[in-house]
Amino acid sequence: MRFIIEILLTGLAFFVGAKLVPGVSIDGFGNAIIASVLIALANATIGFILRLLTFPINFLTLGLVSFIITVLMILLVDNMMTSFNTSGFIAAAFLAIVVALIKAIFSAVAGEKD
Protein backbone atom coordinates (compact mmCIF):
# COMPACT_ATOMS: atom_id res chain seq x y z
CA MET A 1 0.00 0.00 0.00
CA ARG A 2 2.84 2.39 0.82
CA PHE A 3 4.35 1.76 -2.62
CA ILE A 4 1.13 2.84 -4.36
CA ILE A 5 0.92 5.97 -2.22
CA GLU A 6 4.55 6.76 -3.07
CA ILE A 7 3.80 6.42 -6.80
CA LEU A 8 0.75 8.69 -6.50
CA LEU A 9 2.68 11.32 -4.52
CA THR A 10 5.54 11.26 -7.02
CA GLY A 11 3.04 11.69 -9.84
CA LEU A 12 1.50 14.60 -7.95
CA ALA A 13 4.96 16.12 -7.49
CA PHE A 14 5.58 15.89 -11.24
CA PHE A 15 2.16 17.33 -12.03
CA VAL A 16 2.68 20.29 -9.68
CA GLY A 17 6.27 20.70 -10.86
CA ALA A 18 5.10 20.87 -14.47
CA LYS A 19 2.67 23.64 -13.52
CA LEU A 20 5.38 25.61 -11.69
CA VAL A 21 8.29 25.29 -14.13
CA PRO A 22 7.96 27.21 -17.39
CA GLY A 23 8.80 25.11 -20.42
CA VAL A 24 7.41 21.88 -18.98
CA SER A 25 3.96 20.51 -19.77
CA ILE A 26 2.12 17.34 -18.80
CA ASP A 27 -1.32 16.64 -20.26
CA GLY A 28 -2.88 15.25 -17.07
CA PHE A 29 -2.40 13.62 -13.71
CA GLY A 30 -2.46 10.11 -15.21
CA ASN A 31 0.29 11.05 -17.63
CA ALA A 32 2.25 12.57 -14.74
CA ILE A 33 2.08 9.22 -12.93
CA ILE A 34 3.22 7.38 -16.06
CA ALA A 35 6.07 9.86 -16.57
CA SER A 36 7.20 9.56 -12.95
CA VAL A 37 7.19 5.74 -13.13
CA LEU A 38 9.15 5.82 -16.41
CA ILE A 39 11.69 8.26 -14.96
CA ALA A 40 12.08 6.04 -11.89
CA LEU A 41 12.61 2.98 -14.11
CA ALA A 42 15.12 4.86 -16.28
CA ASN A 43 16.99 6.02 -13.17
CA ALA A 44 16.99 2.49 -11.77
CA THR A 45 18.37 0.89 -14.95
CA ILE A 46 20.23 3.23 -17.28
CA GLY A 47 20.91 5.80 -14.57
CA PHE A 48 22.41 3.15 -12.30
CA ILE A 49 24.77 1.97 -15.03
CA LEU A 50 25.80 5.56 -15.83
CA ARG A 51 26.38 6.29 -12.13
CA LEU A 52 28.64 3.24 -11.87
CA LEU A 53 30.64 4.30 -14.92
CA THR A 54 30.99 7.91 -13.77
CA PHE A 55 31.66 7.19 -10.09
CA PRO A 56 35.13 8.80 -9.95
CA ILE A 57 33.90 12.00 -11.61
CA ASN A 58 30.76 11.95 -9.46
CA PHE A 59 32.93 11.65 -6.36
CA LEU A 60 35.08 14.60 -7.41
CA THR A 61 32.09 16.82 -8.24
CA LEU A 62 30.25 15.94 -5.01
CA GLY A 63 27.27 14.40 -6.79
CA LEU A 64 26.74 16.93 -9.55
CA VAL A 65 27.12 14.23 -12.21
CA SER A 66 24.35 12.24 -10.51
CA PHE A 67 22.04 15.25 -10.82
CA ILE A 68 22.95 15.62 -14.49
CA ILE A 69 22.16 11.94 -15.06
CA THR A 70 18.75 12.45 -13.45
CA VAL A 71 18.09 15.41 -15.77
CA LEU A 72 19.13 13.26 -18.74
CA MET A 73 16.66 10.57 -17.65
CA ILE A 74 13.91 13.23 -17.60
CA LEU A 75 14.88 14.23 -21.13
CA LEU A 76 14.87 10.57 -22.19
CA VAL A 77 11.30 10.12 -20.92
CA ASP A 78 10.39 13.41 -22.60
CA ASN A 79 11.47 11.88 -25.92
CA MET A 80 9.51 8.69 -25.20
CA MET A 81 6.19 10.34 -24.29
CA THR A 82 4.12 12.72 -26.40
CA SER A 83 2.07 13.95 -23.44
CA PHE A 84 5.13 15.05 -21.42
CA ASN A 85 7.24 17.83 -22.91
CA THR A 86 10.18 19.90 -21.75
CA SER A 87 11.72 22.78 -23.66
CA GLY A 88 15.30 21.70 -22.97
CA PHE A 89 17.98 20.86 -20.45
CA ILE A 90 17.43 23.92 -18.22
CA ALA A 91 13.68 23.28 -17.91
CA ALA A 92 14.33 19.62 -17.09
CA ALA A 93 16.91 20.65 -14.48
CA PHE A 94 14.47 23.03 -12.81
CA LEU A 95 11.80 20.31 -12.92
CA ALA A 96 14.17 17.88 -11.17
CA ILE A 97 14.89 20.46 -8.46
CA VAL A 98 11.22 21.32 -7.94
CA VAL A 99 10.17 17.65 -7.82
CA ALA A 100 12.92 16.88 -5.29
CA LEU A 101 11.77 19.78 -3.09
CA ILE A 102 8.10 18.75 -3.31
CA LYS A 103 8.97 15.13 -2.46
CA ALA A 104 11.03 16.36 0.50
CA ILE A 105 8.03 18.35 1.74
CA PHE A 106 5.78 15.30 1.32
CA SER A 107 8.16 13.08 3.29
CA ALA A 108 8.56 15.73 6.02
CA VAL A 109 4.79 16.02 6.41
CA ALA A 110 4.13 12.29 6.27
CA GLY A 111 7.19 11.26 8.27
CA GLU A 112 9.23 8.14 7.67
CA LYS A 113 7.80 4.95 9.14
CA ASP A 114 9.67 1.65 9.21
Side-chain angles (χ1 to χ4, degrees), residues 22-104:
V24 178
S25 65
I26 296 180
D27 289 343
F29 182 66
N31 290 322
I33 292 174
I34 293 170
S36 66
V37 168
L38 287 176
I39 290 169
L41 288 173
N43 265 329
T45 55
I46 301 167
F48 176 73
I49 294 168
L50 288 175
R51 282 179 183 85
L52 282 177
L53 293 174
T54 60
F55 177 73
I57 299 169
N58 199 9
F59 182 74
L60 291 174
T61 61
L62 302 175
L64 181 64
V65 173
S66 190
F67 173 73
I68 291 171
I69 290 171
T70 301
V71 173
L72 291 175
M73 295 305 112
I74 291 173
L75 291 172
L76 176 70
V77 172
D78 171 28
N79 287 328
M80 290 172 31
M81 292 181 66
T82 58
S83 58
F84 171 58
N85 296 310
T86 60
S87 63
F89 187 84
I90 301 296
F94 281 126
L95 178 66
I97 292 168
V98 168
V99 168
L101 290 174
I102 292 172
K103 286 183 69 173

